[in-house]
Amino acid sequence: MRVIVNQIAKEVSDGSTIDDVLLLIDAKPPFAVAINYEFVPKTRHAEEVLREGDEMEVISPVTGG
Amino acid sequence: MTAPLAIPTNTSDPLVLYGETFASRLLLGTSRYPSPQVLENAVKQSNPGMITVSLRRQGTSTTEAHSGFWELLKKMAVPVLPNTAGCHSPKEVITTAQMAREVFETHWIKLELIGDDYTLQPDTLRLVSTAETLIKDGFKVLPYCTEDLILCQRLVDVGCQAVMPWAAPIGTGQGPLNPYALKLLRDRLKVPLLVDAGLGLPSHACSVMEWGFDGVLLNTAVALADDPVAMANAFALSVSAGRTAYLSGAMKAQQSAQASTPLVGTPFWHQS
């Protein structure tokens, strides 16, 4: 199935969890995840299954004002 | 450059926000410095009470360029204040704040809800309800807002224990554009007030501290100075000087000259 990760389309297996996608994109900690603009705490990354067309955001610390 | 001046410390007059005490009344942004080393030196030199940070999508040029930022943050060991910069809707703000809380392991959030991309003016109509939602979710909210009295009062009403009105639009360095409104805010609101955004010179920071503001938050004025480390020192000194002046009680300005040297017994005195 197709999901959008940080605005880039990715093909992932049906039933993929957030952890599976994080592994696929080689996400570097620390990061936080949102699915379809909803925050998903890390305690749920292993169990949260993505669906076709889901938009996943993986964000990390940067400088800020 | 000459040796930097030491920043005076006054442990009997700390900045207290939401019941927590901070080492300095200067809050410093971490963006736009020439290098991480300059940022680190500026932070060391000015000893800010908090430093502001943000979040961006992993894998972008911004985050790749700052891949060592996390290590630097841990090394600097200054309390962090994540912001919601770039958010244009309450939903974006709330999700970003929740993500920031997890990444930075802090309940503090600088609430930015932008209503206009050109001026970066806050969306004041939706700011209050967004602040209320965050507070109910356990955040310690420092809202970036305009200097409007009623807006700031409403932010206090929904539970903001500190408010951060702008001096001028972000990054302009123009200094306080509306001293009347800022002084009015200080007179009317009893919570800590920190001036956020628009400061360009240490004298700007000193002025607002003289007016009774509890702190300042700035970034660009330091980061884009020719010598950011020296400018960080200058701002820290100016914040301290302004605070001391406020606590000291300034004399009232007079319309006519008043001799400071006694005139009695003056030789060659002529009274016309």
Side-chain angles (χ1 to χ4, degrees), chain A residues 28 37 57-58 60 64-65, chain B residues 30 56-58 83 95 102:
Chain A
K28 304 282 192 302
Y37 304 99
E57 299 271 12
V58 183
S60 290
Chain B
T30 56
R56 287 293 178 271
R57 287 190 189 99
Q58 195 166 113
N83 68 27
T95 301
E102 182 172 84

Side-chain angles (χ1 to χ4, degrees), chain A residues 6-7 27-28 30-34 37-39 41-42 57-65, chain B residues 29-31 52 54-58 63 66 69-70 83 91 95 98-99 102-104 110 219:
Chain A
N6 284 353
Q7 296 192 311
K28 304 282 192 302
F31 53 74
V33 173
Y37 304 99
E38 292 284 349
F39 167 61
K42 58 187 171 189
E57 299 271 12
V58 183
I59 61 175
S60 290
V62 295
T63 60
Chain B
T30 56
S31 200
T52 53
S54 196
L55 291 168
R56 287 293 178 271
R57 287 190 189 99
Q58 195 166 113
T63 50
H66 293 80
F69 183 56
W70 182 248
N83 68 27
K91 180 62 187 165
T95 301
Q98 291 169 334
M99 297 170 96
E102 182 172 84
V103 168
F104 295 108
K110 175 185 169 185
N219 187 156

Side-chain angles (χ1 to χ4, degrees), chain B residues 155-185:
Chain B
L155 288 166
V156 174
D157 292 344
V158 298
C160 292
Q161 295 183 26
V163 179
M164 300 203 300
W166 70 357
I170 292 172
T172 61
Q174 297 191 54
L177 295 179
N178 194 343
Y180 166 78
L182 288 171
K183 291 176 183 176
L184 183 66
L185 273 182

Side-chain angles (χ1 to χ4, degrees), chain B:
Chain B
M1 185 193 132
T2 56
L5 296 172
I7 310 301
T9 55
N10 187 352
T11 53
S12 66
D13 176 41
L15 173 64
V16 179
L17 304 171
Y18 288 88
E20 289 190 31
T21 299
F22 294 90
S24 167
R25 294 175 181 274
L26 172 65
L27 280 57
L28 193 63
T30 56
S31 200
R32 308 183 74 182
Y33 288 81
S35 71
Q37 186 63 58
V38 173
L39 164 60
E40 183 182 4
N41 291 343
V43 168
K44 276 183 186 171
Q45 192 55 59
S46 57
N47 188 31
M50 281 196 272
I51 52 176
T52 53
V53 294
S54 196
L55 291 168
R56 287 293 178 271
R57 287 190 189 99
Q58 195 166 113
T60 64
S61 58
T62 305
T63 50
E64 284 162 3
H66 293 80
S67 56
F69 183 56
W70 182 248
E71 297 305 317
L72 180 58
L73 278 181
K74 287 192 289 187
K75 183 180 171 189
M76 291 191 292
V78 177
V80 296
L81 175 61
N83 68 27
T84 60
C87 291
H88 291 70
S89 72
K91 180 62 187 165
E92 290 174 18
V93 164
I94 291 160
T95 301
T96 301
Q98 291 169 334
M99 297 170 96
R101 179 163 57 185
E102 182 172 84
V103 168
F104 295 108
E105 297 180 338
T106 178
H107 293 285
W108 291 91
I109 195 77
K110 175 185 169 185
L111 165 56
E112 287 190 44
L113 176 51
I114 300 302
D116 178 69
D117 280 330
Y118 183 71
T119 60
L120 297 179
Q121 181 153 349
D123 183 341
T124 56
L125 296 181
R126 299 193 287 180
L127 195 63
V128 176
S129 59
T130 307
E132 184 174 26
T133 301
L134 290 171
I135 288 167
K136 286 179 178 173
D137 193 16
F139 285 97
K140 296 174 178 179
V141 179
L142 296 177
Y144 156 69
C145 55
T146 61
E147 71 278 63
D148 183 88
L149 171 63
I150 306 307
L151 167 66
C152 293
Q153 179 64 63
R154 294 292 175 263
L155 288 166
V156 174
D157 292 344
V158 298
C160 292
Q161 295 183 26
V163 179
M164 300 203 300
W166 70 357
I170 292 172
T172 61
Q174 297 191 54
L177 295 179
N178 194 343
Y180 166 78
L182 288 171
K183 291 176 183 176
L184 183 66
L185 273 182
R186 180 63 290 170
D187 286 344
R188 297 295 300 277
L189 299 185
K190 303 309 175 194
V191 300
L193 297 173
L194 297 92
V195 168
D196 176 16
L199 300 180
L201 292 168
S203 55
H204 298 153
C206 193
S207 290
V208 299
M209 294 303 292
E210 288 171 355
W211 300 341
F213 279 81
D214 297 273
V216 302
L217 197 171
L218 56 93
N219 187 156
T220 310
V222 169
L224 297 192
D226 289 344
D227 186 341
V229 180
M231 189 60 86
N233 183 239
F235 267 103
L237 289 166
S238 70
V239 167
S240 180
R243 178 64 180 177
T244 303
Y246 171 70
L247 295 175
S248 301
M251 65 165 280
K252 300 294 182 195
Q254 306 291 328
Q255 288 297 322
S256 58
Q258 296 191 12
S260 51
T261 303
L263 294 175
V264 176
T266 303
F268 318 119
W269 173 251
H270 302 281
Q271 192 165 18
S272 57

